[in-house]
Amino acid sequence: AQTVTQSQPEMSVQEAETVTLSCTYDTSESDYYLFWYKQPPSRQMILVIRQEAYKQQNATENRFSVNFQKAAKSFSLKISDSQLGDAAMYFCAYRSFQGAQKLVFGQGTRLTINP
Amino acid sequence: NAGVTQTPKFRILKIGQSMTLQCTQDMNHNYMYWYRQDPGMGLKLIYYSVGAGITDKGEVPNGYNVSRSTTEDFPLRLELAAPSQTSVYFCASSHEGPYEQYFGPGTRLTVT
């Protein structure tokens, strides 16, 4: 079974600075998807960014980018120019390429933005 | 476009009571899921469905049941509620293929 580990329960960053959230995963599959979800205090799960394992290029969405290291099974999220609205829980998630598309989540990292 | 809707938003149950959490999606998604999120933790899969009439267990199915009679609806039934079922419950749906899952707003359930 696949597992996802987020080793940073909490992180903080100054507004306008850059922060990196870590995620490692364990799988024997060669094709899969990785996701970062944001959960603000409203509880709504919001997709931040997605990476397909067969793509070597790291995904980017505006201020959000990932560093995907397939051999190391590492998938970190970099947030540039942090804004107050980025404060939230961030979850890393894994999904198999085939099958029922079930998501396996990490434990989450609480990100605080200091003004 | 409503997306994924869940009712109720909040509920308090006494130990031993039963209830059904409702989930409806209007995106014609075949795949639907129920997750639970315990305090300070990530989401864990309870049950999922790949189409009407087809359901299967996830990682933490004990104490729950589901049914899928239509594409739109995927209710989650709690029988004989226990304090360990105190959690936030999320329903999600997606198309088959490389598509994201869309989440409902969640139901906060407390069992006392």
Side-chain angles (χ1 to χ4, degrees):
Chain A
Q2 294 81 23
T3 59
V4 177
T5 302
Q6 295 178 247
S7 59
Q8 305 156 314
E10 296 183 357
M11 293 282 285
S12 63
V13 64
Q14 292 295 125
E15 193 176 3
E17 296 294 309
T18 296
V19 63
T20 299
L21 308 184
S22 300
C23 173
T24 59
Y25 58 95
D26 188 29
T27 184
S28 59
E29 300 174 333
S30 57
D31 289 326
Y32 47 87
Y33 300 94
L34 295 165
F35 304 85
W36 278 98
Y37 278 90
K38 171 185 178 181
Q39 187 181 44
S42 67
R43 280 202 319 244
Q44 183 67 47
M45 295 291 287
I46 302 166
L47 179 65
V48 175
I49 201 164
R50 177 178 78 177
Q51 175 78 44
E52 291 87 347
Y54 58 84
K55 290 186 177 179
Q56 292 187 341
Q57 186 173 4
N58 289 324
T60 299
E61 288 287 343
N62 301 315
R63 297 183 294 107
F64 299 87
S65 62
V66 299
N67 184 2
F68 173 50
Q69 302 289 328
K70 191 173 184 179
K73 296 180 182 175
S74 170
F75 182 60
S76 61
L77 174 70
K78 185 172 81 171
I79 306 174
S80 303
D81 186 25
S82 298
Q83 300 176 359
L84 295 177
D86 296 333
M89 284 289 289
Y90 286 82
F91 293 98
C92 179
Y94 173 102
R95 204 203 92 180
S96 295
F97 190 77
Q98 303 284 357
Q101 305 174 187
K102 299 172 283 184
L103 289 172
V104 178
F105 286 87
Q107 305 93 318
T109 296
R110 181 175 302 280
L111 178 64
T112 301
I113 312 295
N114 300 313
Chain B
N1 192 346
V4 180
T5 57
Q6 292 182 238
T7 56
K9 285 186 169 52
F10 304 93
R11 183 72 185 267
I12 299 174
L13 280 183
K14 294 190 184 301
I15 294 171
Q17 288 184 322
S18 300
M19 75 164 294
T20 298
L21 280 65
Q22 301 292 343
C23 175
T24 300
Q25 52 91 9
D26 63 358
M27 296 173 282
N28 201 31
H29 288 165
N30 279 333
Y31 288 19
M32 295 189 74
Y33 311 84
W34 276 106
Y35 296 91
R36 60 176 285 173
Q37 182 181 23
D38 296 332
M41 302 294 289
L43 282 67
K44 292 187 177 180
L45 184 66
I46 306 171
Y47 270 95
Y48 65 96
S49 169
V50 299
I54 306 170
T55 63
D56 206 348
K57 296 177 180 179
E59 185 183 356
V60 289
N62 291 342
Y64 307 94
N65 278 300
V66 293
S67 60
R68 184 96 182 271
S69 57
T70 67
T71 299
E72 295 79 20
D73 301 308
F74 190 40
L76 178 71
R77 178 80 177 165
L78 279 72
E79 304 282 1
L80 298 175
S84 61
Q85 293 178 304
T86 294
S87 192
V88 178
Y89 292 83
F90 288 95
C91 180
S93 71
S94 71
H95 281 301
E96 181 178 2
Y99 303 104
E100 70 173 283
Q101 286 187 18
Y102 291 83
F103 285 81
T107 295
R108 181 178 295 278
L109 175 67
T110 302
V111 182
T112 62

